Structures are given as C-alpha cells and as structure tokens.
C-alpha cells in the first residue's frame, strides 16, 4: 500500500518513552515524507507540539531531549515530522510546525534561531593505521550535511575526489564504511561506540570538524511561552559529541 511506503512523522512521544531510539524507528532515508497534520488528538492531550527536522537529525538519537520535552506540560502531545530545511521553514511560517532543528541558519526575519551547540564530526576509517597519506588510496564517502559542510582541503586533498557514496543518511554512510572500508567525516555521537570497540579508527592528521545546530521557531508563535521553556532543555549529549555555545 502507498501509505505503508510513506514515512509517518506523526509520532506521539508518550508511546516512545522506554522504546528504541527515535532514529531507528523513523527509518526516514530514501522515503517520501507525509506532512499532513494530525486531525484527531486524544481528549486527554491539552495541547500539541509539532517538531520537525531533516531525516539525518533523527538518526542521532534525541530521545533524552524528547523525553524532557514531553514532561514540560501535563497532557502534552508531541508530533515529529521529517522534511527538508526549506520545507520546515515554510511549515513554521504556516504555523503547522512549532519548532525545527536546523544545521544552517535561515534569513527569514519572522523565524528566530536559538543555537544549541556545534555537532562534532570525526574523520574515521576501519583501517587502524589510516593517515593523511593513505587516504589517497581509500574510497571517499561523503555525508551531505548542508552546503557549508566541506572538509578542509589544505591537508586532505584526497577528500576532494569524487566519493564512491554520496549520502544524506549518516547511518547508511556509517554502515558503508564498516562494510566496504574507506574514510568519511561522520558525527562523533554516532561513531563513538565503534571507536571504542576498535571497529573504526580516527584517521591520523584528520582534524575534527564542527557544525552548528539550531532550534528555529516563529518569533510571534502562539506557543512562545512553551517554546521558551523548551529552549532551556539540554540535549543530554556528551561534551565530546556537542560543543556548547560559549557564554557571552
């Protein structure tokens, strides 16, 4: 059936608590996204909060943060949606979305941005002795994290060659490296367990990259009070995975 092939981003977090990480349940990559609003909300739910993000974000496991979001207000129903950055911004303006996770800022005046930190990416390979020189002989796997996500070209010229895999899914890029070798810049949050187990290794001479994460919302949202509370919630990630904004 057509609906069985579509990704339903309308997940109620109350049913997810204690379950598997959100990223595993969504399985969003390479599927169509259905952003139709939920028409029926349980009578016990006093209000509904819609949160959207590109599919690759949900792969990073936001469960701890989502659990805190769910606990913000009694009777809160949370709906998760998956879409491109452009679509998410349009949903915010149309007030069909309350909050969006973005990796790049938007220039739309009506949308406010709250920086939550910088996600750390590491250059990894399954080869224990991988270094800047051996990269020339390795396939390159490229994770599409946005237009501003480009590895440094000064020391790692080999990463500028045509990738054997170009993916917008971090989990698919990770599994490709584990199965076929090669090198890729991947989120440290995702590769840390494999580094600890010795299945992956940091490439010597490959400096870590960091890219910002933002919570975006409509400046004049009807749910601004709830959103302001939400902005104070920590992600609960390890400091090596996310560099927090410096206090000014």
């Amino acid at each position: 059936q057509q609906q069985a092939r579509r990704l339903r981003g309308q997940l109620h977090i109350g049913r997810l608590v204690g379950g598997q990480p959100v990223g595993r349940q969504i399985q969003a990559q390479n599927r169509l996204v259905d952003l139709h609003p939920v028409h029926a909300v349980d009578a016990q739910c006093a209000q509904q909060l819609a949160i959207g993000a590109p599919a690759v974000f949900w792969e990073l496991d936001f469960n701890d943060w989502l659990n805190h979001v769910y606990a913000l207000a009694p009777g809160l129903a949370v709906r998760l949606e998956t879409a491109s950055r452009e679509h998410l911004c349009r949903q915010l303006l149309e007030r069909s979305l309350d909050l969006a996770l973005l990796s790049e800022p938007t220039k739309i005046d009506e949308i406010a941005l709250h920086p939550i930190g910088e996600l750390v990416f590491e250059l990894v390979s399954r080869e224990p002795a991988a270094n800047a020189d051996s990269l020339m002989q390795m396939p390159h796997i490229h994770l599409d994290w946005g237009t501003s996500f480009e590895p440094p070209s000064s020391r790692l010229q080999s990463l500028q060659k045509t990738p054997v895999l170009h993916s917008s899914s971090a989990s698919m890029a990770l599994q490709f490296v584990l199965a076929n070798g090669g090198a890729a810049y991947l989120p440290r949050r995702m590769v840390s367990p494999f580094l600890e187990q010795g299945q992956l290794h940091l490439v010597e001479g490959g400096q870590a990259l960091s890219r910002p994460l933002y919570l975006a919302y409509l400046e004049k949202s009807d749910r601004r009070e709830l959103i302001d509370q939400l902005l104070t919630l920590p992600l609960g990630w390890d400091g090596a995975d996310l560099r927090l904004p410096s206090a000014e």
Side-chain angles (χ1 to χ4, degrees):
Q1 297 179 355
Q2 184 177 4
Q3 290 184 343
R5 296 195 302 269
R6 284 178 173 267
L7 169 64
R8 291 285 183 182
Q10 303 157 350
L11 302 178
H12 283 59
I13 303 307
R15 301 177 183 228
L16 289 178
V17 175
Q20 294 181 342
V22 174
R24 295 181 185 175
Q25 298 194 24
I26 291 182
Q27 296 295 313
Q29 50 268 35
N30 297 328
R31 298 188 185 182
L32 296 176
V33 180
D34 189 350
L35 293 178
H36 295 298
V38 176
H39 297 290
V41 179
D42 194 292
Q44 295 180 347
C45 297
Q47 57 182 322
Q48 183 173 309
L49 185 72
I51 305 174
V56 67
F57 275 52
W58 299 129
E59 295 180 331
L60 299 177
D61 183 8
F62 283 82
N63 249 11
D64 288 343
W65 181 72
L66 289 171
N67 291 340
H68 289 304
V69 171
Y70 177 68
L72 273 179
L76 178 66
V78 181
R79 190 176 82 248
L80 303 185
E81 298 185 349
T82 304
S84 67
R85 171 178 168 273
E86 293 76 14
H87 200 152
L88 292 171
C89 290
R90 185 163 64 250
Q91 294 288 101
L92 288 173
L93 293 174
E94 294 172 350
R95 297 179 183 269
S96 59
L97 193 69
D98 299 302
L99 200 70
L101 288 156
L102 303 178
S103 60
E104 295 179 300
T106 175
K107 295 181 180 180
I108 302 175
D109 293 337
E110 294 86 350
I111 296 178
L113 294 173
H114 175 77
I116 56 178
E118 292 194 348
L119 187 65
V120 177
F121 293 78
E122 297 282 5
L123 183 59
V124 297
S125 173
R126 69 178 187 181
E127 302 299 328
N131 54 42
D133 293 330
S134 61
L135 280 178
M136 295 295 297
Q137 311 304 322
M138 289 185 182
H140 172 212
I141 294 86
H142 181 80
L143 174 63
D144 185 0
W145 190 262
T147 57
S148 64
F149 184 67
E150 292 295 337
S153 58
S154 57
R155 297 181 58 189
L156 301 175
Q157 296 285 340
S158 59
L159 292 184
Q160 306 306 310
K161 61 187 177 184
T162 302
V164 297
L165 176 68
H166 191 289
S167 176
S168 59
S169 166
S171 63
M172 292 182 70
L174 170 61
Q175 293 304 319
F176 190 92
V177 172
L178 290 170
N180 302 286
Y185 267 104
L186 296 173
R188 183 175 179 84
R189 177 168 177 78
M190 181 172 284
V191 301
S192 289
F194 299 94
L195 292 171
E196 294 171 1
Q197 297 166 13
Q199 293 180 264
L200 289 176
H201 307 272
L202 297 177
V203 175
E204 182 181 352
Q207 66 187 76
L209 303 178
S210 62
R211 289 297 178 268
L213 293 179
Y214 301 96
L215 287 173
Y217 57 95
L218 198 62
E219 186 71 48
K220 296 182 179 180
S221 171
D222 297 335
R223 297 175 181 171
R224 183 61 187 271
E225 183 177 350
L226 179 61
I227 290 174
D228 286 343
Q229 296 180 54
L230 190 150
L231 297 180
T232 66
L233 297 178
L235 286 185
W237 291 3
D238 188 274
D241 301 334
L242 185 76
R243 297 171 181 169
L244 298 178
S246 58
E248 296 183 357

